[in-house]
Amino acid sequence: MSDAINGGGDCTGHRTAVTEAEVDALIQGICFKTGPPRTLGVELEWLVRERGRPQHPVPPERLRAAYAAVRAVPLGSALTVEPGGQLELSSPPAASLMECVGTVSADLAAVRAVLAEDGLALVGIGHDPFHLPDRFLHEPRYDAMETCLDRTGPAGRHMMRASASVQVCVDAGHEEPGPLGHGRRWWLAHQLGAVLVAAFANSPLIGRLPTGWLSTRQLMWMEIGTDRAGAPPLHEEPRSAWARHVLDSPVMCVRRDDGPWAVPERLTFREWTLRHQPRPPTRADLDYHLTTLFPPVRPRGHLELRMIDAQPGEDGWIVPLAVTAALFDDPQAAETAYRCVKPLAERTLNLPAPHNPLWTEAARRGLADPELREAAAVCFAAALDALPRLGATTEVTDAVAGYLERYVARGRCPADDLLDALPGTRPAPAGSGPAAHGRKDIPS
């Protein structure tokens, strides 16, 4: 979400007001750039904690000094900071899987070396298991975001301050139909997304206690609501569906050059183009509005898959990157994945992700769900078969094979390791935890 909260943009730019029809045309023209899949990217969010004492929050002044030192290091990836002080590295578009892995691995090594000098370390976990950090960044855009998200409960603060993810970016795909066509890839991303949630769930704790969900981070996104964090319907043409979704989603804030930003209630972008209040919306406002929507799959010319929890270990992020790249960019693996997850689509009840039964069970139970476990096993096997065709090294294929054996084949995910480390504690029965789906009593 770094682009949404760190990309405030120029409030004075693009002053010409846009009409509803212009907005629709702009969205359809910029959000799906079709063509042969050629590039790949990854965005990695990390919690930053004291080495050996991850339960202790790092004082803000210490984080600021550490981040200033990190920014002095030349990196190939973009470096941003999230509201709770999480660090994010966003790779440049890479021409291959191994180019992406190489660039980000080198950048992470450089960042870790700088942080280690101050006794700090990057921690890969989907949600801070110990506490909800204070907000690290204080600017009008963060104030507005928090005000807006607070209206649906505490989940927004958890997402802003305590969550971390692995976001994989793949090209939209061909204009034509087929395994690599943009329509197929759009559909696949939303159905396979539930399998990725389940296989890589790594956030079962809040306040050191089990929430009853293996991916509490995904629960937070569900709790934020369908308007802000939901997908459009899948039975419609992707461009038209996304354009309508953007127009009918509520405006998070109206930016100003001076003073606090306005946070309207229930003003959709479509209504804004018609009412012109509190001022007419501009192209810059549309650009910003697009970054304040957090669906599990966000079209930004390419497809940004946002559903994977941050992973443990220095190189744990490579496995979801490699698996996702193989299942989207290798035609044979993409066809296998499509056929594998197609039966799962019935469990969505035609409701958009992530607010449907399939995604709910993926976040709650992970691979303990038999159908999700079977689908994950087939998809991982297809990815393993495809990775050599994508030029993956033995180290990468071994990492994926090891994950398949350690977790997928056993119906487990990293969240199970965290729960096993709590003596005598396992997840609460479904729906009985303090963050039960549909409730607003998430610990704050």
Side-chain angles (χ1 to χ4, degrees):
M1 56 178 280
S2 59
D3 53 342
I5 57 175
N6 294 334
D10 178 9
C11 301
T12 63
H14 306 291
R15 284 193 177 276
T16 303
V18 289
T19 66
E20 178 183 353
E22 289 171 338
V23 168
D24 183 88
L26 284 167
I27 296 169
Q28 296 205 37
I30 65 178
C31 289
F32 289 87
K33 299 292 186 183
T34 53
R38 292 195 178 100
T39 60
L40 178 71
V42 68
E43 301 174 20
L44 304 178
E45 297 171 341
W46 303 85
L47 305 183
V48 178
R49 294 293 180 264
E50 288 195 48
R51 295 178 66 88
R53 298 204 311 164
Q55 69 274 23
H56 293 282
V58 181
E61 59 276 9
R62 189 174 169 194
L63 276 182
R64 291 190 185 95
Y67 291 164
V70 170
R71 288 192 178 97
V73 177
L75 301 172
S77 303
L79 186 144
T80 50
V81 180
E82 301 289 333
Q86 309 99 308
L87 203 64
E88 179 174 8
L89 282 177
S90 301
S91 76
S96 69
L97 170 62
M98 293 315 303
E99 178 184 323
C100 186
V101 170
T103 298
V104 178
S105 295
D107 289 341
L108 282 171
V111 170
R112 287 192 173 101
V114 173
L115 293 177
E117 293 178 0
D118 193 30
L120 301 177
L122 299 177
V123 177
I125 191 170
H127 188 284
D128 192 315
F130 300 109
H131 55 84
L132 177 64
D134 293 332
R135 185 144 56 92
F136 177 72
L137 299 175
H138 294 273
E139 296 179 16
R141 57 181 171 267
Y142 311 116
D143 297 339
M145 176 176 280
E146 192 162 271
T147 297
C148 176
L149 296 180
D150 278 351
R151 290 172 179 165
T152 57
R157 294 193 178 204
H158 282 259
M159 178 272 290
M160 290 174 66
R161 305 182 191 180
S163 69
S165 68
V166 174
Q167 299 177 14
V168 181
C169 299
V170 298
D171 283 333
H174 290 283
E175 186 68 28
E176 299 79 13
L180 301 185
H182 79 284
R184 170 77 71 86
R185 287 161 76 87
W186 176 247
W187 184 91
L188 178 63
H190 290 86
Q191 308 302 347
L192 180 63
V195 178
L196 298 176
V197 169
F200 296 109
N202 188 35
S203 52
L205 306 173
I206 290 182
R208 307 181 189 226
L209 297 175
T211 64
W213 296 71
L214 294 183
S215 180
T216 302
R217 173 184 162 276
Q218 186 58 51
L219 170 65
M220 299 305 167
W221 286 114
M222 289 189 287
E223 292 286 2
I224 287 171
T226 57
D227 290 340
R228 186 69 54 196
L234 287 184
H235 61 271
E236 302 177 19
E237 193 277 324
R239 289 188 179 93
S240 298
W242 179 245
R244 182 161 46 254
H245 181 75
V246 171
L247 277 163
D248 291 334
S249 294
V251 173
M252 176 173 282
C253 55
V254 177
R255 298 172 299 159
R256 298 169 177 165
D257 293 320
D258 300 302
W261 294 357
V263 185
E265 289 205 49
R266 305 307 305 173
L267 173 69
T268 68
F269 205 93
R270 189 189 304 276
E271 291 168 340
W272 195 9
T273 65
L274 300 174
R275 296 181 185 177
H276 285 200
Q277 295 295 330
R279 61 167 174 78
T282 66
R283 168 65 188 271
D285 292 317
L286 172 61
D287 292 343
Y288 189 82
H289 176 62
L290 287 167
T291 71
T292 66
L293 302 178
F294 309 119
V297 182
R298 185 161 62 179
R300 302 177 60 201
H302 57 272
L303 302 183
E304 181 184 78
L305 279 68
R306 304 169 48 83
M307 71 288 297
I308 302 170
D309 281 357
Q311 294 297 289
E314 292 191 356
D315 299 327
W317 58 275
I318 294 177
V319 174
L321 171 64
V323 169
T324 304
L327 296 178
F328 275 85
D329 290 349
D330 180 84
Q332 183 176 333
E335 183 65 23
T336 298
Y338 172 74
R339 294 180 182 277
C340 175
V341 302
K342 197 171 183 179
L344 292 177
E346 297 180 3
R347 293 176 56 181
T348 68
L349 304 182
N350 292 321
L351 298 173
H355 302 89
N356 63 51
L358 177 65
W359 279 68
T360 298
E361 284 303 284
R364 180 188 283 126
R365 300 182 60 204
L367 297 186
D369 181 290
E371 291 181 324
L372 286 168
R373 176 180 178 177
E374 180 180 357
V378 172
C379 287
F380 267 70
L384 270 175
D385 182 63
L387 283 171
R389 296 193 290 270
L390 297 181
T393 62
T394 301
E395 289 79 7
V396 170
T397 57
D398 285 350
V400 174
Y403 197 97
L404 172 58
E405 179 181 356
R406 178 178 180 181
Y407 292 116
V408 177
R410 301 178 184 181
R412 291 174 60 85
C413 58
D416 290 302
D417 293 343
L418 293 172
L419 291 169
D420 287 347
L422 299 176
T425 305
R426 288 299 296 169
S432 66
H437 182 53
R439 295 173 58 184
K440 299 298 185 287
D441 54 349
I442 301 168
S444 58

